[in-house]
Amino acid sequence: MWAVLVWVVVIAPNAAIGQDVDAVSVQRSIDRGVAYLKQQQTESGGWPEYPSYSCGLTALCTLALLNADVPPNDPAMVSALAYLRRNRPDRTYPVALQTLAYCEAGAAEDLPRIRRNVDWLVKAQNNRGLWSYTQQKEFGGDPSNSQFALLALAAAVDRGVTVPEDVFAKARTYWLATQQSDGGWRYRDAMPVTGSMTCAGIASLIITEGRMTGVNSRVQGDKIQCCGGGDEGADPVQGGLGWLARYFSTQSNPQAGGQSYYYYMYALERVGRLSGRRFIGQHDWYREGADRLLRLQDSFQGFWRGSTNGEDRPLVATSFALLFLSKGKRQVVVGRLQYPSSDATAWNRHHESLRQLVRHLERDWGKDLTWQTIRSENARVTDLLQAPVLVISGRQAIAGGDVLADRLGEYVDQGGTILFEAEQGDGCGDAIGFRRQFADWVTRWYPESKIEKLPIEHPVWYAQRKVDPEILGKDFWIYGVQACCRTPIFFVPKSLSCRWELSGLLFRQSQLSESARSQISAAVSVGENVIAYATGRELQDKLQQRFLLTGSTETSRQRGQWQLAELALGAGGEDARRALPNAVGLLSQTLPVAVAPVGDPVTLDDRTLSDVTALWVHGRTDFQWSAAQRKAVQTYLDRGGYLIANAVCGAEEFVKAFRREIGKLDLDEPLAAIAPDHPALTNRYGGFDVRRVTIRRPKRDANQFAVQTRTTFPMIEAARVGPADNVFFSPLDLSCALESQNSIQCAGYGTEDATRIIANLLLYAMQQPPAD
C-alpha cells in the first residue's frame, strides 16, 4: 500500500533520458559487474596484464572493485592487494593506478608504497608539467598519462603523503596553456578537441587549484583575508564546463570518432563529482550516463565491452563502467545555492570551499561522499532536497522574491537544513543587505520563532568535533531558529567558506601560524557539525526518489468520512503544527476510507467532540486536565471515541503527564504496553505489518552527536473503555516524523514507519463494533 503514496521523482529540467533509472537497478548492475570481474581473477590474485605494464590492469580492476564497495578484507581483494604488493611498476599508468588502489584500500602498511610511488611520479614529471609513459622525460609526455598521475598524487595527499607544491603548480601551468579558445582540450595539437580530454583538463585544473592557495582567500601571518585579490579573468574551469555542456553526450565520447567511450565516461564522472555539478548544461549527467551504461551491459555475463584503445577487452571497459556507476552515485552531504546576481561570483566567492569541506568529512566519516551546486532558477523543492544541507552565502539581498523564499521555506519544512553565512569582515566589508533578508525570510517562515544565539550545549558545537567559538573571533557565534524538534536554520556572521577553502592547506601540512591553523580547523569543525547534526549521518542514496509531505486542507465533512481532530492542549503540540495535516495527506493515499482533519484544534467539551471520530493528542510539556475536561474525555471515550496520542520528540514531561491524566479516568483496562502480536500491529484490518520498525534515538555526549537505530516492534501503549482498545499512546515521537522527513533529533520513528503505525491504529479503530 505504501507504494501508492505520491512520490515525486527527480527529473532533469529538459531531459527525459535516465528518468527511470533508480538506485535498485544501478546497484544490480554494479553487482553484476563486480561478479564478472571476480570471475576473471586468476589464481595469482591478479588479472591478465598487458605486456610491459606490470600490474596496471590488476590495479584498475582492484580500484573498480574497491569503489564498488567490495571491502578490502573480501577474499578477492586480499588476493588482489597481495598481488599488487608483489609488483613494483615503472610506467606512469600502473604506478598511478596502483597508488589509487592503495589509497582507496586505506591500509597503513601501504603508506611506504604510496610514498615510493609518489617519489617516482614526482621524478617523472618534465619541466612542462607533463608525464609520459615512463620516466624518460625526453618523450615530451601527454595529457592522458598526466591526468592519471595527478589523480594519484591528489589521492596520496588525502592520505597524508606530502607532494611538493611545484608539482601541482607546473601541472596547472601546462593545462592552462593548452586550453583551446573554445574552452576544450585536445590530445595532440593536430587532433580535435574531445570530450575525454576536456574532462581531463577540467578535473586536472580543479585538482591543481585545490592544492594551492585560493585567489579569494589567503593567510597573512595570523590573519585570514577572505576578499580582495580575486582573479578578474575568465574562469578556465567554467570555460571547460561550457564546452562540455555544448557537446554533451553519454552516447559517445564527443568529437572522438567513436573512440575511448568508457575512458570518457570515467572522466565525465570525475568532472561531475569534483565540480559538484548535478547538471552539466541541462543534462543530469549521472542519470543519463547510468541509463546508457545499464543498456550497454551484457545481459548474460554482466560485462561491458568497447571497440577501441583497449576497451575491446571487457576487463578494461567493465572497470571504467563500474567506476562511473559507483563513484558517481556517492551520497550528497551538502549543497550550495547558486542564485542570479550582477556579481557572477556573489553566490560562491570561494568555489573550492565545499570540495575541501567534504574532503575532511570523508576522512572523518571514513566513507566517500560528494556535494552539489543547486541553481535557484526553476529549482523545485525535490531538487533542493537532493542536498540535506544547503549553504547560502552572500553580502547583498538575493534576487528571487517571494517565489524563492517560499521554495526555500518548503525545503526546510520537508526536512532540509540551511546554513546562511554573511560574508563580512576579514576584508569583505559589511553584509547588511544579506542579514536583513535572512531576518525577513525567517519571519516569513516562522512568524512565532526567534533567531537565537545557540547555547554551547547545542550539538552544533560538538556533533562531529568540539569547537571553542572564541577561536573564530570574539565577534563570532552560531545563531539558529528552532522549528518543532530541530534547528533547521543556522546563521553565521562571517565566512566559513573562506576558511573551508583554505583547509586544503591542512592536508598539505603547510606552514601556518598557530592562530590561522586553529581558525581554519575550527571552521571545518563547524561545517562538519552542521552536517552531522542535520543528517545524523543518515544519508539518502543519490538516486533515491524524494517525496513531499503534503498536508490535507480538506475540512468539510462528507458522508462516510472520518473526522480526525487535534486537541488544543496547550502542551507544546503547536511546535508540530503540520503533523496532523501531513498525516491525513499521507493516510488519504493509503487508507480505503476517507479521513479528513478538523480545521482548528478542538477544546474539551461535549459539543466540540460530538462529531470527532478520532482525537489526535500530542505535546512536549507537562499539562493537567480540570475535572470538567476529564469528564469530557470520559464521555467521549464512553460513547466510542478513539484517542491517539504521542509525545512530540519523545518528550519525557509529556509522557509522564499523559500517563498521569489518563490514569485518572474510569478505564476498563489501564494504559499498558501492547503485545508485539496485537492486531493493531498486523495487517489483519487491511493495513501493514508493523511488528518490525526502526526506532531511532539521538545519542548525545560531550564530544559527538549521532543516531542509534534498533529494529524492533513499536513501543505503543493502549487503554480501554468498552469492548476494544480505544486509547493508544506512543511515548516515542510520531509527530516530528510527520512534521518533517528529518526527525533524527528525536527518539521515535521515521516518516514511513510513523505513517504506517497511525494507519494501522485508525484501521483497527474503524473496524471495531460500536459502543453500546
Side-chain angles (χ1 to χ4, degrees):
M1 243 183 236
W2 182 259
V4 301
L5 285 175
V6 182
W7 293 90
V8 183
V9 181
V10 181
I11 303 173
N14 296 317
I17 299 174
Q19 70 182 53
D20 294 329
V21 173
D22 57 42
V24 174
S25 59
V26 169
Q27 189 57 54
R28 187 183 301 118
S29 175
I30 290 173
D31 291 342
R32 295 178 65 232
V34 166
Y36 173 78
L37 288 186
K38 285 186 173 183
Q39 290 166 3
Q40 304 305 309
Q41 192 174 17
T42 67
E43 291 183 0
S44 68
W47 282 263
E49 299 290 350
Y50 285 97
S52 303
Y53 276 84
S54 180
C55 58
L57 187 53
T58 294
L60 177 61
C61 293
T62 304
L63 180 65
L65 290 173
L66 289 168
N67 275 279
D69 289 332
V70 179
N73 61 358
D74 181 274
M77 289 297 89
V78 171
S79 297
L81 289 167
Y83 179 92
L84 291 178
R85 290 163 185 153
R86 294 194 299 269
N87 282 269
R88 187 164 180 165
D90 59 357
R91 296 173 72 88
T92 300
Y93 280 125
V95 170
L97 287 166
Q98 186 188 60
T99 304
L100 288 166
Y102 286 151
C103 290
E104 189 65 29
E109 68 173 284
D110 290 323
L111 279 172
R113 298 181 179 93
I114 294 172
R115 293 190 182 96
R116 179 196 70 204
N117 286 354
V118 165
D119 289 342
W120 190 97
L121 290 169
V122 168
K123 293 175 182 177
Q125 187 185 32
N126 65 28
N127 290 333
R128 292 182 62 208
L130 280 165
W131 283 264
S132 182
Y133 287 91
T134 67
Q135 282 189 328
Q136 297 179 17
K137 301 178 182 180
E138 62 270 18
F139 290 105
D142 68 82
S144 182
N145 275 287
S146 298
Q147 74 158 329
F148 274 88
L150 281 175
L151 286 173
L153 293 173
V157 170
D158 288 348
R159 288 283 289 139
V161 175
T162 301
V163 176
E165 192 73 22
D166 67 325
V167 172
F168 292 113
K170 286 192 295 184
R172 182 171 178 79
T173 298
Y174 162 76
W175 289 103
L176 288 172
T178 54
Q179 187 173 22
Q180 303 301 298
S181 59
D182 62 1
W185 278 266
R186 60 185 69 188
Y187 184 74
R188 298 287 189 202
D189 289 342
M191 295 181 174
V193 171
T194 64
S196 55
M197 286 300 98
T198 297
C199 287
I202 296 168
S204 296
L205 286 182
I206 293 173
I207 288 171
T208 55
E209 183 176 70
R211 271 68 187 177
M212 301 164 68
T213 303
V215 295
N216 276 321
S217 55
R218 59 194 184 280
V219 180
Q220 295 179 325
D222 287 343
K223 291 186 177 180
I224 290 175
Q225 291 293 109
C226 296
C227 294
D231 185 359
E232 300 298 330
D235 183 351
V237 170
Q238 292 301 319
L241 289 168
W243 186 96
L244 199 57
R246 291 192 298 274
Y247 295 95
F248 184 87
S249 175
T250 55
Q251 306 300 303
S252 64
N253 181 0
Q255 298 194 171
Q259 297 187 36
S260 305
Y261 171 71
Y262 293 95
Y263 173 87
Y264 158 69
M265 292 297 283
Y266 175 35
L268 176 63
E269 171 277 322
R270 198 176 311 130
V271 166
R273 180 171 47 83
L274 292 179
S275 68
R277 297 297 196 278
R278 178 185 167 197
F279 296 102
I280 295 178
Q282 295 298 311
H283 298 274
D284 189 330
W285 62 267
Y286 183 73
R287 281 187 176 275
E288 293 186 33
D291 179 80
R292 174 65 171 163
L293 288 175
L294 265 59
R295 295 175 189 274
L296 290 174
Q297 189 174 23
D298 181 82
S299 59
F300 180 65
Q301 297 186 61
F303 63 76
W304 285 267
R305 188 200 302 271
S307 58
T308 60
N309 292 348
E311 294 182 355
D312 53 333
R313 293 187 66 176
L315 291 175
V316 175
T318 300
S319 295
F320 284 146
L322 284 177
L323 285 166
F324 177 96
L325 291 174
S326 58
K327 292 170 74 70
K329 76 179 185 72
R330 288 181 178 179
Q331 293 168 308
V332 178
V333 290
V334 63
R336 184 178 292 280
L337 185 71
Q338 178 181 354
Y339 55 83
S341 172
S342 57
D343 180 353
T345 65
W347 64 278
N348 189 25
R349 297 185 191 281
H350 307 287
H351 50 264
E352 271 288 297
S353 57
L354 290 192
R355 193 170 77 84
Q356 297 297 342
L357 175 62
V358 171
R359 287 177 69 199
H360 290 277
L361 204 59
E362 286 180 317
R363 179 193 60 191
D364 291 343
W365 286 16
K367 64 187 302 184
D368 295 327
L369 303 165
T370 192
W371 59 282
Q372 281 189 351
T373 294
I374 302 173
R375 297 191 296 255
S376 65
E377 304 103 311
N378 302 319
R380 299 162 299 180
V381 176
T382 47
D383 297 324
L384 297 173
L385 287 170
Q386 289 283 315
V389 176
L390 189 63
V391 178
I392 303 179
S393 310
R395 296 184 213 166
Q396 305 300 322
I398 298 170
D402 294 345
V403 174
L404 177 59
D406 289 345
R407 196 172 298 132
L408 290 172
E410 188 175 358
Y411 163 76
V412 172
D413 283 342
Q414 295 293 335
T417 298
I418 303 179
L419 171 62
F420 289 89
E421 60 169 0
E423 294 194 323
Q424 59 185 11
D426 303 315
C428 297
D430 200 355
I432 187 169
F434 185 83
R435 298 199 318 269
R436 284 177 176 172
Q437 185 178 60
F438 164 71
D440 291 343
W441 280 357
V442 168
T443 301
R444 181 186 187 93
W445 299 334
Y446 302 107
E448 298 178 0
S449 298
K450 296 180 180 179
I451 303 168
E452 300 176 328
K453 291 183 70 173
L454 296 179
I456 203 68
E457 296 81 18
H458 193 288
V460 76
W461 295 110
Y462 64 82
Q464 179 69 40
R465 292 192 289 179
K466 196 168 184 178
V467 176
D468 178 356
E470 289 194 3
I471 291 176
L472 286 161
K474 295 186 180 299
D475 58 341
F476 180 83
W477 201 265
I478 305 174
Y479 299 81
V481 179
Q482 186 72 14
C484 186
C485 316
R486 66 192 185 106
T487 307
I489 300 172
F490 295 94
F491 174 84
V492 291
K494 63 167 58 176
S495 176
L496 295 175
S497 292
C498 165
R499 291 157 175 81
W500 297 340
E501 184 171 62
L502 289 168
S503 69
L505 297 170
L506 302 181
F507 283 98
R508 298 186 347 245
Q509 302 175 6
S510 300
Q511 293 296 318
L512 293 169
S513 70
E514 185 58 35
S515 174
R517 182 178 296 276
S518 296
Q519 275 199 63
I520 294 169
S521 181
V524 170
S525 295
V526 170
E528 290 192 34
N529 287 350
V530 170
I531 294 171
Y533 170 78
T535 65
R537 299 178 184 81
E538 294 182 343
L539 303 173
Q540 292 182 311
D541 190 282
K542 189 174 184 178
L543 293 176
Q544 185 172 335
Q545 295 173 334
R546 272 64 172 177
F547 71 95
L548 301 182
L549 291 170
T550 303
S552 172
T553 59
E554 176 60 50
T555 60
S556 61
R557 186 178 179 87
Q558 301 176 19
R559 186 176 181 83
Q561 191 173 54
W562 266 49
Q563 297 295 295
L564 182 58
E566 179 181 347
L567 179 64
L569 194 60
E574 61 276 9
D575 289 348
R577 65 192 187 281
R578 299 174 71 244
L580 182 59
N582 285 348
V584 173
L586 292 173
L587 293 173
S588 66
Q589 304 295 323
T590 60
L591 294 180
V593 292
V595 179
V598 173
D600 295 321
V602 299
T603 56
L604 281 176
D605 63 67
D606 290 344
R607 182 177 56 82
T608 57
L609 294 180
S610 59
D611 290 331
V612 173
T613 320
L615 191 61
W616 174 269
V617 182
H618 68 170
R620 61 191 310 167
T621 63
D622 190 13
F623 70 94
Q624 186 171 357
W625 283 330
S626 66
Q629 290 173 325
R630 282 198 299 273
K631 181 181 178 181
V633 175
Q634 185 74 56
T635 301
Y636 172 72
L637 295 174
D638 285 343
R639 67 177 178 226
Y642 285 83
L643 190 153
I644 299 174
N646 82 99
V648 173
C649 213
E652 283 296 324
E653 284 188 61
F654 184 84
V655 172
K656 294 176 181 178
F658 184 82
R659 287 171 175 163
R660 182 190 67 231
E661 295 305 306
I662 288 296
K664 294 177 182 179
L665 300 179
D666 183 11
L667 304 170
D668 295 326
E669 294 288 345
L671 193 67
I674 64 176
D677 60 352
H678 190 289
L681 301 183
T682 71
N683 57 8
R684 174 176 172 181
Y685 295 100
F688 309 95
D689 187 342
V690 293
R691 287 173 292 182
R692 303 293 289 176
V693 295
T694 299
I695 294 177
R696 304 191 295 187
R697 294 182 183 273
K699 179 185 177 183
R700 296 179 174 91
D701 57 39
N703 298 310
Q704 206 167 73
F705 173 89
V707 175
Q708 293 181 325
T709 60
R710 182 165 63 100
T711 301
T712 183
F713 59 88
M715 295 177 62
I716 304 294
E717 300 171 11
R720 177 179 301 182
V721 176
D725 292 335
N726 57 349
V727 176
F728 291 99
F729 175 57
S730 171
L732 297 180
D733 175 76
L734 296 169
S735 292
C736 284
L738 296 164
E739 169 83 8
S740 165
Q741 294 184 65
N742 182 1
S743 60
I744 59 172
Q745 291 82 5
C746 299
Y749 307 91
T751 303
E752 182 176 340
D753 281 340
T755 305
R756 288 173 166 176
I757 290 169
I758 295 168
N760 272 30
L761 297 180
L762 285 173
L763 285 168
Y764 170 86
M766 290 175 181
Q767 298 178 62
Q768 299 307 309
D772 294 336

